[in-house]
Amino acid sequence: MVNRLLADGIVVLHFLFIAFVVLGGVLALRWPCLAWVHLPAACWGAAIELSGWICPLTPLENRFRQAAGEAGYAGSFIDHYLLPILYPAGLTREIQYGLAAVVIVVNVAVYGCLLRRR
């Protein structure tokens, strides 16, 4: 039971991290000090997408699921949880590049606004 809760907690943490990567720049408009946390997170998110790496949270979640007697899954967190919602056909390198571009463009725009305010 504990391992299943830990795996589910990692899923929640993973979703929150992705939301922070994509939208954290908007929070930095309100709280500029948050940029010190958000910029490295956004760089990490873009690097994961551009490189095709798997986020370390995915194998950790799978380990907890297997320890709980559940089946893990192959591929990335995005493959397993987000793509069935957003891209039913599956994740391709082009889609990963697109996701990285969204992260980069949104954050460049937000931080451009933040710098202009200063």
Side-chain angles (χ1 to χ4, degrees):
M1 180 71 170
V2 171
N3 286 317
R4 181 166 189 243
L5 289 174
L6 288 170
D8 291 344
I10 289 170
V11 170
V12 171
L13 177 68
H14 215 157
F15 271 121
L16 292 173
F17 182 79
I18 290 169
F20 181 65
V21 164
V22 174
L23 302 172
V26 175
L27 296 174
L29 287 172
R30 174 71 174 100
W31 298 286
C33 289
L34 192 61
W36 292 105
V37 176
H38 179 255
L39 280 171
C43 289
W44 174 258
I48 290 288
E49 290 305 320
L50 290 171
S51 68
W53 298 337
I54 292 180
C55 179
L57 292 175
T58 300
L60 183 61
E61 177 200 346
N62 281 331
R63 264 184 259 148
F64 283 126
R65 293 223 180 274
Q66 290 167 349
E70 300 176 6
Y73 56 85
S76 71
F77 176 85
I78 291 174
D79 284 336
H80 189 72
Y81 290 106
L82 297 181
L83 283 181
I85 297 167
L86 300 174
Y87 305 104
L91 182 65
T92 64
R93 288 300 289 154
E94 291 77 24
I95 294 171
Q96 284 182 302
Y97 290 142
L99 291 171
V102 167
V103 168
I104 292 166
V105 167
V106 166
N107 285 294
V108 165
V110 167
Y111 283 102
C113 290
L114 190 61
L115 288 172
R116 270 186 283 164
R117 287 165 107 188
R118 292 195 165 252

